[in-house]
Amino acid sequence: MTLRTIIIIEDDPAHARIVERMLSRLGLQNPLLRCASGNEALQLLESLAKDNSTNFASQYVLLIDINLPGLNGFQVMEKLDSNSVLRFIPRIIISTSDEPLDISRSKDFAHLAYLIKPLDYARIVELIKELDA
């Protein structure tokens, strides 16, 4: 079984390190990449897709923070949805916002879960293991 690479799109380095540590502590062994902005994430994904477009979406899962510099998480998802290769990458939205408007807006995009910080890391691990199975 090939494990999906988890791309953590999080601008706060401390939050990203916590996510990485907690996933590891819970036994997740998937490779990890990190992007500090929406723009950086899109550049990385477009670059990876050029090198390997066959079954591309099945190789990755995104943890997307909503509050990002430059393109925010919603804008990143809009860009993903408009790309014929990137649109199928599974996504988990992570946010500090429990605002009904943000949660409602997230329903405009394909995603596995909308999780509010502090995160339920066990739920993230469960979702990723289901994808890897």
Side-chain angles (χ1 to χ4, degrees):
M1 166 178 40
T2 302
L3 300 177
R4 292 172 186 261
T5 297
I6 301 167
I7 301 175
I8 302 168
I9 307 169
E10 168 65 67
D11 61 312
D12 185 317
H15 287 175
R17 281 193 302 277
I18 290 168
V19 170
E20 291 169 2
R21 274 186 294 204
M22 290 305 296
L23 294 177
S24 176
R25 284 185 187 157
L26 290 169
L28 206 61
Q29 297 179 356
N30 299 59
L32 300 173
L33 296 174
R34 179 175 168 256
C35 296
S37 73
N39 293 331
E40 181 183 340
L42 288 172
Q43 289 173 354
L44 172 66
L45 289 166
E46 289 168 356
S47 173
L48 292 169
K50 284 180 190 171
D51 294 338
N52 185 4
S53 60
T54 306
N55 297 322
F56 178 77
S58 68
Q59 299 174 36
Y60 299 93
V61 62
L62 308 178
L63 300 183
I64 305 175
D65 185 15
I66 292 299
N67 299 311
L68 295 167
L71 295 175
N72 67 36
F74 292 122
Q75 292 167 318
V76 169
M77 289 189 291
E78 285 174 8
K79 298 277 188 188
L80 293 172
D81 283 351
S82 68
N83 183 299
S84 63
V85 175
L86 303 180
R87 72 180 323 149
F88 298 106
I89 301 171
R91 311 161 204 176
I92 298 170
I93 301 170
I94 55 177
S95 179
T96 55
S97 174
D98 61 357
E99 291 294 321
L101 182 61
D102 286 340
I103 295 169
S104 175
R105 185 172 179 202
S106 75
K107 293 177 182 172
D108 292 339
F109 306 101
H111 63 281
L112 299 171
Y114 184 103
L115 302 176
I116 299 168
K117 296 176 186 177
L119 298 173
D120 179 352
Y121 294 100
R123 178 74 178 129
I124 294 172
V125 169
E126 176 184 301
L127 289 166
I128 293 169
K129 285 185 176 180
E130 287 175 12
L131 289 170
D132 285 341

